[in-house]
């Protein structure tokens, strides 16, 4: 027999457990939160804190037959889908910096230079890694991580747990936004990439006019020096492009959280 003072503890624990699903799924896909350097214990604590705040602002009706049922499975599937979609929308805007780094690296001849990305733990081009760090700092500077948490908490009101299934418009909007990833990356890389291509064209003209000129011995250093100089000059413009991509990602996350 359960003591009267502990009669509602089990139900409250289940509510908190189900409330943690959506924030936990968001942290699996969102930048910064999904970094391999973030301990699992910290993610669980953040998921519980965000889930408790979300439940207090909305409603949560537990499945009648608990989690081991069709209703419980649909409950968990809906929460996971919404959480991953909200985090993945911001991840798309964040990944534009990787695309820009890939384009600039190939133009400069640094496509072979790889480094370990601290976010994913995988090998990425040097400039892609550099721009991803810049994107992380800009996201933190603009309080993007707090904005994402606020968007997730607000989603509990519009998409209450148990009825949190994405509409066809939300899925279509997320797919279309994913298609703009390469466009955003090219916009970020345009100031440097276009200038380096012009340098490559000039070097090709020189090689054509002077066949004895060793293009590999001269062209690569020129492209590297020109690329580094252009990166220093166009850094403010590229930072603005990265911030616009992050803002677009947060906007798409807000649309998903609003059921649009």
């Amino acid at each position: 027999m359960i003591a009267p003072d502990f009669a509602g503890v089990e139900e409250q624990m289940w509510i908190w457990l189900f409330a943690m699903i959506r924030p936990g799924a968001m942290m699996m896909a969102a930048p910064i939160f999904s970094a391999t350097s973030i301990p699992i214990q910290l993610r669980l604590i953040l998921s519980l804190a965000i889930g408790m705040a979300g439940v207090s602002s909305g409603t949560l009706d537990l499945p009648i037959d608990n989690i081991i049922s069709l209703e419980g499975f649909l409950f968990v599937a809906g929460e996971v889908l919404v959480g991953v979609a909200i985090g993945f929308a911001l991840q798309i805007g964040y990944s534009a910096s990787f695309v820009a780094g890939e384009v600039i690296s190939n133009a400069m001849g640094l496509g072979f230079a790889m480094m370990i990305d601290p976010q994913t733990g995988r090998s990425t081009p040097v400039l892609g890694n550099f721009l991803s760090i810049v994107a992380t700092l800009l996201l933190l500077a603009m309080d993007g991580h707090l904005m994402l948490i606020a968007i997730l908490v607000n989603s509990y009101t519009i998409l209450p747990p148990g009825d949190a299934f994405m509409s066809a418009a939300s899925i279509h909007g997320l797919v279309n936004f994913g298609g703009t990833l390469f466009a955003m990356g090219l916009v970020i890389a345009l100031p440097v990439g276009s200038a380096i291509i012009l340098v490559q064209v000039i070097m090709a003209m020189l090689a054509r006019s002077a066949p004895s000129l060793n293009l590999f011995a001269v062209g690569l250093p020129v492209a590297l020096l020109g690329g580094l100089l252009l990166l220093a000059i166009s850094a403010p413009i590229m930072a603005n492009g990265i911030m616009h991509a992050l803002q677009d990602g947060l906007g798409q996350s807000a649309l998903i959280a609003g059921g649009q």
Side-chain angles (χ1 to χ4, degrees):
M1 180 177 180
I2 300 177
D5 295 338
F6 295 94
V9 173
E10 182 180 359
E11 182 180 0
Q12 189 64 43
M13 294 294 292
W14 277 109
I15 291 176
W16 288 348
L17 178 62
F18 278 102
M20 292 172 60
I21 298 175
R22 189 181 300 184
M26 181 272 292
M27 292 183 184
M28 292 173 55
I32 299 178
F33 297 103
S34 61
T36 56
S37 58
I38 303 297
I40 300 296
Q41 295 83 353
L42 180 58
R43 298 184 197 177
L44 291 175
I45 295 173
L46 289 176
S47 299
L48 177 60
I50 297 172
M52 292 174 63
V55 169
S56 63
S57 63
T59 59
L60 194 155
D61 297 327
L62 294 175
I64 298 176
D65 298 329
N66 216 325
I67 194 172
I68 310 299
S69 62
L70 178 60
E71 184 182 0
F73 174 78
L74 294 177
F75 186 102
V76 174
E79 290 294 289
V80 171
L81 182 61
V82 172
V84 170
I86 292 175
F88 186 66
L90 180 58
Q91 182 68 51
I92 292 175
Y94 179 84
S95 298
S97 59
F98 287 97
V99 177
E102 185 78 22
V103 172
I104 298 174
S105 295
N106 292 333
M108 291 177 58
L110 289 177
F112 59 87
M114 297 289 180
M115 289 185 65
I116 300 298
D117 179 35
Q119 290 285 332
T120 61
R122 300 178 181 178
S123 297
T124 56
V126 174
L127 290 179
N129 196 0
F130 169 72
L131 292 180
S132 69
I133 295 174
V134 173
T136 301
L137 296 176
L138 291 175
L139 183 61
L140 294 174
M142 62 187 292
D143 290 335
H145 58 301
L146 300 179
M147 296 170 62
L148 182 63
I149 292 175
I151 290 171
L152 186 69
V153 172
N154 293 333
S155 69
Y156 280 86
T157 304
I158 303 174
L159 298 174
D163 193 23
F165 290 98
M166 294 178 60
S167 62
S170 297
I171 298 176
H172 184 69
L174 182 61
V175 172
N176 286 337
F177 182 68
T180 63
L181 171 62
F182 295 100
M184 291 187 295
L186 290 177
V187 168
I188 296 172
L190 186 61
V192 179
S194 58
I196 294 179
I197 291 175
L198 292 178
V199 173
Q200 299 287 1
V201 171
I202 294 173
M203 295 304 302
M205 295 174 61
L206 291 176
R208 188 69 175 178
S209 60
S212 60
L213 180 66
N214 190 344
L215 185 61
F216 293 98
V218 179
L220 183 59
V222 171
L224 287 175
L225 292 176
L228 293 176
L229 181 61
L230 291 169
L231 281 173
I233 295 174
S234 61
I237 301 175
M238 296 178 65
N240 289 333
I242 294 174
M243 289 189 66
H244 283 300
L246 294 174
Q247 291 172 355
D248 291 341
L250 289 171
Q252 186 63 37
S253 298
L255 291 176
I256 295 173
Q260 302 178 10

